Amino acid sequence: MDQEPCRIDVWLWRARFFKTRALAQRFVEEGRVRLTRARAETRLDKASRNVRAGDELVFAIGGRLFSIRIEACGERRGPAAEARTLYSET
């Protein structure tokens, strides 16, 4: 399991939930992402907050609710097949 943390906006962009980092950044800063780490839930409000493998995220995009576990932070924004390896749905 990859233990290197990465910024939430970068991770959402790499995992292909958003087309640009700016969109991911705005989404997080609006307080629309909930993070669960070690059974403690917090609402993320800054794009600079770090996430790491094992964290769980809950957010809604386009009327669809996502509940996911981060499996890896990734090194780049790759193709969709690569992006799907960064998380698993819970």
Side-chain angles (χ1 to χ4, degrees), residues 20-79:
T20 66
R21 266 187 68 191
L23 289 173
Q25 192 172 23
R26 190 171 342 136
F27 185 80
V28 172
E29 289 173 353
E30 289 173 356
R32 298 172 62 184
V33 179
R34 287 187 318 215
L35 166 72
T36 303
R37 179 184 293 157
R39 297 188 185 188
E41 186 175 300
T42 57
R43 186 170 301 275
L44 298 178
D45 58 351
K46 292 184 181 175
S48 62
R49 300 282 189 220
N50 284 334
V51 293
R52 58 181 52 101
D55 289 351
E56 294 182 7
L57 302 175
V58 177
F59 54 92
I61 300 175
R64 182 167 178 218
L65 184 66
F66 291 92
S67 177
I68 59 174
R69 174 185 297 273
I70 297 175
E71 300 295 339
C73 284
E75 296 294 320
R76 65 186 184 124
R77 179 179 166 96

